[in-house]
Amino acid sequence: MTAELSHGTRLDEVLRSRVTGEVAFDDYTRHLFSRDASMYSIMPLGVVFPRNENDTAEVVRTAAEFGVPVVPRGAGTSLASQTVGPGLVLDFSRHMNKIIEIDPVARTAIVEPGVVQDQLNRAAAAHGLMFGPDTSTSNRATIGGMIGNNSAGSGSLTFGMTIDHVRSLDVVLSDGSLARFEPVTEHERKRAAAADTLAGRIYRELPELVTANEKAIDAGMPLFWRRACGYRLDRLAGYGEDKPFDLAKFVVGAEGTLVVVTRAVVDLVPRPKKTVYAIGHFESTHAAISATEDALSCDPHQVELMDKTILDLSRQKIEYADLGNHLVGDPAALLFVSFAGDNETELVAKLDRVAALWKQNGHGYHTVKAVTTAEQAALLKVRKSSLGLLMAAGKGTRRPLAFIEDTAVEPVHLAEYTQRFKQILDANGLEAGFYGHCSVGCLHIRPFIDLTDPSQVDTMRRVARQIKDLVAEYGGVNSSEHGDGLARSEFNREIFGDSLYEAMREVKRLFDPMGVLNPGKIVDAPPMTENLRDRDALPPAPVLRTMLQFEVVGGGMRDAADRCMNIGLCRKTTAGVMCPSYQVTLQEEHSTRGRANALVKALSEPDPHKALADDRLREILDLCLMCKACKSECPMSVDMAALKAETLHHHHEVHGIPLRSRIFGSIRFLNRMGSATAPLSNLPGRVRFLRRIMQRAVGITAERPLPKFVRDNLVRWNGKRATAKGAAGTVNWLADSFTTYTEPQIGKAAIELLEAAGWAVRLANGGCCGRSSLSKGLLDDAKKKAAGLVESLVRDTEPGSPIVGCEPSCVFTLRDETAALLPDMPAVADVKDRVTQVEELLVAAIDEGRLRLNEKSWLAGRRVVFHGHCHQKAEVGTAATMALLRRIPGLEVAEIDSGCCGMASSFGFEAEHYDTSMTVGRDRLFPAIEAEPEETLVAATGVSCRQQIFHGVGRTAWHPLELVREALA
């Protein structure tokens, strides 16, 4: 559905004729942009991805012409719902994301609104500078969004808020006209006020409005400095000869309700050369908060709280497993106190001082001092992920919701205030996790609420009012960094008083007389209980039969997708693996969040089986590489690989199975036949003309050489030799489809190492794990293969004997998807429990002296860079492989943060995906290897990773087991 003028002209058609950016009015795109990280959902009319300022102005003008609202949006990580609404959503993150200029002398940057905070900080770091506000969402939060919210972050005690770092803004006004807001003298203001434009009117009438409401501003504006609520009329009060009139700072925090920002000049600050941390361990949250004043007396950079709720959640995630190695005992809360500067000796002295004060005053039972980057890494990674970890604690529709989580009071009152806060929660039967910024009196407290329960909705509203009154009692603010949105705007009249609130309404009418820009936020808002995501957006779930078992999350496939709380961690582009295709396309629909929301829509249809076969949905899922990074890196563990496999299965049931999918699903059979007929079978893969024929016939790209089949495969090699008897027992080597028939030298190296370590090795050649069929959605076939392999492993191996292999995608299928495919097969649990990383066995053998490595092998003095396989990272991490490589005498080992290689099994061989595959590789992996000298060795655990490395940079990658074999004494 779309808006029309009286003469029948459609809004989407007009927009496409006027803007150069993309315009999307399809149901799936609208659904994807109906949500942000808040508890609200509103379906927009359409979404526009502007390329420049002119596009933005045209959209606003056209929206005014059609009488529909405009909602500006960056990363969509708003917790109070600033970035959802009816009308048109303007997504600035896709195209308007350029850093125009960095001036290191003036310490400024000129940026477009879609620039991500970490992106700006990386560019500024070359000059020893950074953007001061440092939010926990820095790897996806855009500068435009930070301006809209007046974001702050953990370092606001030192650097203040975004409003303190904005110099000037280029904006589009509500009539589509352009303006530049910056500090002006009274003479310049009067000259601007003379113009017969909307900007001129603002310069004329806003000063009068401020003057007329000076008493209301003094009486109604909260005194506490750290606030992100209402319109900042206090910033204009008292302007004159000694104080410029600064509309740029005035519209910071206006949540897109007054102007649309298209370019910003922001201040940069010197980046501290060194930051050190004292991490206090406490037996209660109250005890930790009570230690804040001692910490503040030492002039810290930040003081951050993390309670036991967050700590316990982190222990359940592979990504944060290292945290436990740095804690002492079982703390109920941690307090992170940081000191930043250029002199490490002085900073460490401050650490000593705060630790001594805590000990002297009986605060806490232990203090960890983290000075080096290595000491800080695990601790800080968890602290910055607190929001996501807390969100993951929700079960079904019972979620930790942000409706009272942004209050702040003077730190001197924080301990008492928090106790009373907790009493209100207890009285209303609510539980919550506590974390946040003790240094500025702001704690993020999210009670668990089920919005599908009307009584819980009533409780939420009652608690919101009680907390609002408590904040006022302590002279605090109802929102200190996340803004008003739909969650808090309803209470602004009570918070600011009638006079100041009416002045704010006049501001809105002055800037936006037609109500085009993000209406219903800050002033004239609906009740906070309208447009709730779970209550209003989701009908009862239709029954859907699935091949994979999704009940582990409590409600089948839809609940597995709807675990996504839209915090947008999958939109990060510079670290980790998730989500490779988003990192190179910057399209919302190619993020895990976008795909999860698309699946929620499909699975909410009356006939979800048919909806899963929709071609638009398939297009959205198409670039998912099924890397499984989302399973570990997404705080909610949204397993998009499993969800895509199930979706493809339903698509095949409706549309049939493509020939190419059948071919890739039969990879073990094809590899076995290729090995049996080698070297003749290698001819098609080596001759470009024949590869072109394959591309035309089945869609396998001609740009990439195919794997080489080896006639003397692992099975033949093993059958021709005498197997060793091992004192250490028997281990079963999983003969996967690749290292058996195309790279048998790796399997040979592994078996020789295990035998040298005292193991008797049995070749487990019972068939395919089903991974290749899973990746193509051939779930019936995958189930059959998985059952056959499990049966053979139970039948033909000694009870309790380890099962190991070297291809992560195969090994970890036995620990993950096999259970989801065969939930009623008892033997699955036995096999799963016996699957072990071969690296762990070899590390133990080396450390126990059963496996000796040569101190003077040719590897001594060499350097190797290691790239881990995505499935390995998702399931167990790369610690065991890195530990094994580090056992090689004299070898320098470095793990590269290379993300996904882009190959993803068959994905990189598919003609339509080849370019995307190579673009993913060129994003981080290829540059990281190309930066190394030729003599540096490259290692990778995945067969697809090694293929991609060779094709992308012409370097042969070793399997780590091959390197260890080279060093065998």
Side-chain angles (χ1 to χ4, degrees):
M1 136 175 225
T2 186
E4 294 182 350
L5 289 179
S6 57
H7 50 74
T9 305
R10 291 166 55 91
L11 174 59
D12 54 342
E13 294 172 353
V14 173
L15 286 168
R16 288 187 178 95
S17 70
R18 292 180 180 179
V19 304
T20 61
E22 298 86 353
V23 177
F25 273 62
D26 65 282
D27 288 346
Y28 272 102
T29 301
R30 293 170 58 227
H31 180 80
L32 265 54
F33 286 86
S34 69
R35 296 177 170 185
D36 55 14
S38 71
M39 58 186 177
Y40 297 94
S41 177
I42 301 176
M43 188 71 74
L45 282 172
V47 183
V48 182
F49 305 89
R51 293 186 181 274
N52 49 47
E53 179 183 68
N54 290 335
D55 273 1
T56 307
E58 286 289 356
V59 172
V60 174
R61 277 194 288 270
T62 304
E65 181 182 347
F66 277 76
V68 301
V70 170
V71 181
R73 179 172 170 129
T77 57
S78 164
L79 292 167
S81 77
Q82 287 89 336
T83 58
V84 297
L88 295 172
V89 173
L90 274 173
D91 181 0
F92 288 102
S93 67
R94 186 163 171 183
H95 298 304
M96 294 184 66
N97 51 23
K98 300 174 188 64
I99 299 172
I100 308 300
E101 177 185 300
I102 290 181
D103 185 338
V105 177
R107 291 181 180 172
T108 60
I110 304 175
V111 299
E112 291 182 322
V115 167
V116 173
Q117 184 182 344
D118 277 0
Q119 175 190 353
L120 175 57
N121 282 337
R122 284 196 310 276
H127 308 287
L129 301 171
M130 60 179 281
F131 187 59
D134 53 342
T135 65
S136 62
T137 55
S138 63
N139 57 10
R140 68 262 196 202
T142 63
I143 300 299
M146 295 179 71
I147 291 170
N149 259 26
N150 191 19
S151 300
S154 58
S156 61
L157 184 66
T158 303
F159 296 124
M161 306 182 74
T162 299
I163 197 170
D164 303 309
H165 299 269
V166 171
R167 286 205 181 184
S168 71
L169 299 173
D170 287 355
V171 301
V172 175
L173 301 179
S174 64
D175 63 351
S177 60
L178 306 178
R180 173 164 293 175
F181 285 173
E182 58 190 352
V184 296
T185 64
E186 179 61 6
H187 174 72
E188 291 168 331
R189 184 198 66 79
K190 289 179 178 177
R191 185 171 61 189
D196 186 21
T197 60
L198 179 54
R201 183 184 170 200
I202 292 169
Y203 276 108
R204 284 194 305 275
E205 298 184 15
L206 187 56
E208 297 171 2
L209 190 156
V210 172
T211 300
N213 289 278
E214 284 182 350
K215 290 184 179 179
I217 294 170
D218 287 341
M221 193 66 70
L223 295 177
F224 189 47
W225 67 272
R226 198 181 192 273
R227 55 185 181 269
C229 48
Y231 293 132
R232 296 304 298 269
L233 288 163
D234 56 307
R235 286 278 180 160
L236 298 178
Y239 81 93
E241 296 301 329
D242 298 327
K243 180 181 178 182
F245 190 77
D246 190 352
L247 285 179
K249 282 184 166 52
F250 175 69
V251 299
V252 173
E255 303 184 3
T257 64
L258 302 182
V259 300
V260 180
V261 175
T262 59
R263 184 174 292 192
V265 179
V266 296
D267 285 319
L268 302 174
V269 299
R271 176 185 291 273
K273 294 180 181 177
K274 185 70 180 178
T275 302
V276 299
Y277 287 83
I279 299 98
H281 294 47
F282 300 87
E283 294 178 349
S284 70
T285 301
H286 179 71
I289 295 171
S290 298
T292 299
E293 284 194 75
D294 276 354
L296 289 175
S297 72
C298 299
D299 192 25
H301 176 61
Q302 56 186 227
V303 183
E304 301 283 293
L305 172 75
M306 184 192 301
D307 79 346
K308 187 173 176 61
T309 303
I310 308 294
L311 291 171
D312 287 346
L313 289 168
S314 72
R315 293 187 177 101
Q316 301 170 23
K317 300 286 288 184
I318 294 168
E319 191 173 2
Y320 310 112
D322 192 35
L323 174 68
N325 299 325
H326 300 268
L327 300 182
V328 175
D330 186 21
L334 298 178
L335 207 58
F336 294 76
V337 183
S338 73
F339 300 94
D342 296 339
N343 188 312
E344 182 175 321
T345 301
E346 293 178 0
L347 297 177
V348 172
K350 290 184 176 182
L351 287 187
D352 295 338
R353 183 183 171 201
V354 74
L357 271 176
W358 281 345
K359 185 175 182 179
Q360 174 184 320
N361 295 325
H363 291 309
Y365 67 85
H366 185 76
T367 301
V368 169
K369 298 173 187 176
V371 177
T372 67
T373 302
E375 291 170 334
Q376 298 170 8
L379 294 158
L380 301 187
K381 188 174 186 179
V382 174
R383 182 185 64 78
K384 203 160 189 177
S385 300
S386 295
L387 168 59
L389 288 167
L390 184 59
M391 290 296 192
K395 300 296 182 185
T397 52
R398 182 179 179 270
R399 309 177 191 268
L401 299 182
F403 63 98
I404 52 170
E405 56 80 53
D406 199 16
T407 64
V409 299
E410 288 283 358
V412 68
H413 303 307
L414 188 59
E416 180 184 339
Y417 168 78
T418 307
Q419 275 192 317
R420 293 188 55 190
F421 196 121
K422 181 69 164 56
Q423 289 169 3
I424 291 174
L425 296 181
D426 291 344
N428 286 277
L430 298 180
E431 61 174 304
F434 286 62
Y435 75 95
H437 319 302
C438 289
S439 52
V440 290
C442 168
L443 291 185
H444 298 312
I445 304 169
R446 293 179 172 83
F448 288 83
I449 298 284
D450 183 352
L451 294 179
T452 63
D453 181 347
S455 66
Q456 288 268 286
V457 173
D458 292 340
T459 298
M460 178 179 72
R461 186 186 184 86
R462 180 172 62 252
V463 170
R465 285 193 170 278
Q466 292 172 350
I467 295 299
K468 167 186 66 71
D469 294 337
L470 180 67
V471 171
E473 184 181 336
Y474 282 89
V477 292
N478 210 39
S479 176
S480 67
E481 66 179 3
H482 293 156
D484 292 327
L486 294 173
R488 288 182 279 264
S489 293
E490 176 194 356
F491 304 117
N492 276 346
R493 181 182 290 276
E494 299 171 38
I495 290 169
F496 296 111
D498 288 336
S499 297
L500 183 54
Y501 183 75
E502 285 301 324
M504 291 182 181
R505 294 185 71 210
E506 289 182 45
V507 168
K508 173 64 173 174
R509 286 193 291 268
L510 173 59
F511 276 81
D512 186 17
M514 296 179 64
V516 173
L517 302 180
N518 208 9
K521 318 290 166 61
I522 298 182
V523 296
D524 299 321
M528 68 170 290
T529 51
E530 288 189 11
N531 303 302
L532 294 173
R533 161 183 160 159
D534 290 327
R535 189 181 67 174
D536 299 338
L538 295 180
V543 176
L544 176 71
R545 181 187 65 83
T546 60
M547 288 290 293
L548 292 172
Q549 179 74 272
F550 292 103
E551 275 62 35
V552 288
V553 296
M557 188 178 179
R558 189 178 76 169
D559 276 12
D562 198 41
R563 280 181 61 77
C564 176
M565 282 299 293
N566 299 299
I567 63 174
L569 188 61
C570 48
R571 290 174 59 101
K572 59 186 171 60
T573 60
T574 60
V577 180
M578 178 182 68
C579 178
S581 48
Y582 173 79
Q583 292 179 9
V584 300
T585 65
L586 301 183
Q587 290 183 246
E588 174 72 16
E589 67 185 53
H590 295 314
S591 67
T592 302
R593 176 176 76 177
R595 295 181 181 119
N597 279 326
L599 283 168
V600 169
K601 171 179 163 47
L603 293 163
S604 301
E605 297 291 339
D607 186 350
H609 173 65
K610 182 179 178 181
L612 289 177
D614 182 85
D615 286 339
R616 176 70 178 111
L617 178 62
R618 190 176 192 281
E619 183 180 69
I620 290 171
L621 298 181
D622 185 51
L623 293 188
C624 171
L625 281 73
M626 303 178 80
C627 66
K628 295 184 72 68
C630 47
K631 185 180 179 184
S632 61
E633 292 184 28
C634 169
M636 271 63 70
S637 299
V638 174
D639 188 350
M640 191 50 59
L643 289 165
K644 179 179 177 179
E646 185 70 46
T647 302
L648 287 175
H649 169 74
H650 289 268
H651 193 278
H652 296 333
E653 286 193 335
V654 174
H655 298 288
I657 302 172
L659 174 60
R660 189 179 64 188
S661 294
R662 293 184 186 274
I663 290 173
F664 283 129
S666 303
I667 196 68
R668 185 176 184 87
F669 171 78
L670 293 175
N671 281 358
R672 188 170 71 246
M673 291 300 100
S675 173
T677 56
L680 185 63
S681 55
N682 290 315
L683 189 61
R686 301 295 153 185
V687 179
R688 191 173 180 85
F689 170 73
L690 296 177
R691 295 209 305 268
R692 287 200 186 101
I693 293 176
M694 278 196 298
Q695 179 167 320
R696 285 196 296 269
V698 294
I700 296 175
T701 181
E703 299 299 319
R704 199 187 289 277
L706 297 179
K708 184 179 179 181
F709 302 113
V710 178
R711 190 170 184 83
D712 187 21
N713 59 50
L714 189 64
V715 177
R716 288 183 175 179
W717 170 82
N718 193 61
K720 292 185 293 186
R721 69 190 195 98
T723 56
K725 293 183 178 180
T730 300
V731 64
N732 306 288
W733 180 260
L734 188 64
D736 68 81
S737 304
F738 308 102
T739 50
T740 299
Y741 300 111
T742 62
E743 295 183 321
Q745 75 280 3
I746 297 172
K748 295 174 185 177
I751 291 172
E752 289 170 352
L753 285 169
L754 288 166
E755 290 180 343
W759 291 93
V761 182
R762 178 192 173 278
L763 197 65
N765 190 31
C768 181
C769 66
R771 176 81 249 165
S772 56
S773 298
L774 269 165
S775 68
K776 305 285 70 172
L778 309 178
L779 300 190
D780 290 306
D781 186 52
K783 184 173 184 177
K784 180 180 179 182
K785 289 173 177 174
L789 180 59
V790 168
E791 286 172 359
S792 75
L793 288 171
V794 172
R795 181 184 64 243
D796 300 333
T797 64
E798 295 180 13
S801 59
I803 300 168
V804 299
C806 63
E807 177 51 38
S809 59
C810 298
V811 171
F812 295 117
T813 293
L814 288 173
R815 289 177 54 157
D816 185 9
E817 287 91 350
T818 299
L821 277 168
L822 304 167
D824 300 322
M825 188 174 183
V828 169
D830 171 63
V831 169
K832 178 180 178 179
D833 291 342
R834 292 162 57 196
V835 172
T836 305
Q837 293 185 91
V838 65
E839 293 95 330
E840 293 177 295
L841 296 183
L842 295 176
V843 166
I846 293 170
D847 292 349
E848 293 166 8
R850 292 186 287 110
L851 183 64
R852 292 178 52 246
L853 299 184
N854 188 350
E855 296 284 343
K856 297 181 180 180
S857 75
W858 67 270
L859 293 170
R862 300 292 293 271
R863 170 179 166 85
V864 62
V865 291
F866 169 65
H867 166 77
H869 189 280
C870 293
H871 290 190
Q872 177 185 14
K873 294 173 185 175
E875 291 294 335
V876 295
T878 58
T881 306
M882 287 293 291
L884 179 60
L885 285 171
R886 288 180 176 134
R887 296 302 192 278
I888 299 176
L891 182 65
E892 178 191 349
V893 183
E895 184 172 11
I896 48 180
D897 183 10
S898 46
C900 175
C901 74
M903 185 62 132
S905 186
S906 64
F907 183 89
F909 283 107
E910 295 164 355
E912 72 275 21
H913 295 147
Y914 173 76
D915 288 341
T916 299
S917 170
M918 296 303 289
T919 302
V920 172
R922 284 191 291 267
D923 184 46
R924 277 185 287 157
L925 175 60
F926 297 169
I929 294 175
E930 289 169 335
E932 295 287 336
E934 283 295 323
E935 58 268 22
T936 297
L937 303 172
V938 181
T941 40
V943 58
S944 56
C945 306
R946 294 189 294 274
Q947 292 169 345
Q948 179 80 319
I949 289 168
F950 181 76
H951 186 63
V953 297
R955 302 271 286 267
T956 298
W958 297 70
H959 192 287
L961 296 176
E962 293 180 281
L963 291 175
V964 180
R965 177 64 182 84
E966 290 292 306
L968 188 62

